[in-house]
Structures are given as structure tokens and as C-alpha cells.
């Protein structure tokens, strides 16, 4: 798998986790201006997931699954 594809999969995973965490708040607050804190919460979760995915232990697990970035590069 190309590095660009791996990065895309990782970004989709991170965003999906963030949206899943914020979804109940977004649904309950739909139409109310108070939805901004949930957007901030989703961004915070995405940032946290990104930092966790950068840990060497997690990177090793992701590499075993096939979406790690630590493997040999095949692109030129």
C-alpha cells in the first residue's frame, strides 16, 4: 500500500473516532448554537487520537495491520 493511501486510511480512522465521540452531542444539540463545543470536542479527540497513533507501540500495531508508516518505503 502506498504511503499516501496509508495516510488517508489513518486520517479517516482518526476523524471517524472523533465524530463518533461527538455524535451524541451533535444530535442532541442540533439546531442549537451550543454545537460549537462539540466541534471543539471532536477536534480535541482527533488530535488526541493522532498523538496516540504516533506512539511507537501503536505504530508497531498499525504496521502489523498494514497501515503503519514505519515500513520500508516503496515510492520514489
Amino acid at each position: 500500500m502506498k504511503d499516501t493511501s496509508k495516510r488517508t486510511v489513518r486520517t479517516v480512522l482518526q476523524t471517524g473516532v472523533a465524530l463518533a465521540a461527538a455524535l451524541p452531542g451533535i444530535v442532541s444539540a442540533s439546531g442549537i448554537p451550543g454545537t460549537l463545543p462539540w466541534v471543539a470536542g471532536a477536534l480535541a479527540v482527533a488530535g488526541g487520537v493522532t498523538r496516540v497513533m504516533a506512539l511507537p507501540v501503536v505504530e508497531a500495531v498499525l504496521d502489523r495491520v498494514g497501515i503503519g508508516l514505519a515500513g520500508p518505503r516503496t515510492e520514489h
Side-chain angles (χ1 to χ4, degrees):
M1 183 182 291
K2 293 181 182 179
D3 278 348
T4 54
S5 298
K6 290 179 185 180
R7 293 175 200 272
T8 300
V9 170
R10 292 165 63 104
T11 301
V12 168
L13 176 66
Q14 294 162 0
T15 304
V17 169
L19 288 176
L23 190 58
I26 292 171
V27 169
S28 69
S30 62
I32 299 173
T35 57
L36 183 59
W38 292 102
V39 173
L43 292 174
V45 170
V49 170
T50 301
R51 291 193 54 108
V52 168
M53 289 179 76
L55 294 173
V57 173
V58 177
E59 181 62 36
V61 171
L62 293 174
D63 199 33
R64 287 185 184 193
V65 175
I67 59 171
L69 300 176
R73 295 186 179 258
T74 57
E75 294 180 0
H76 297 286

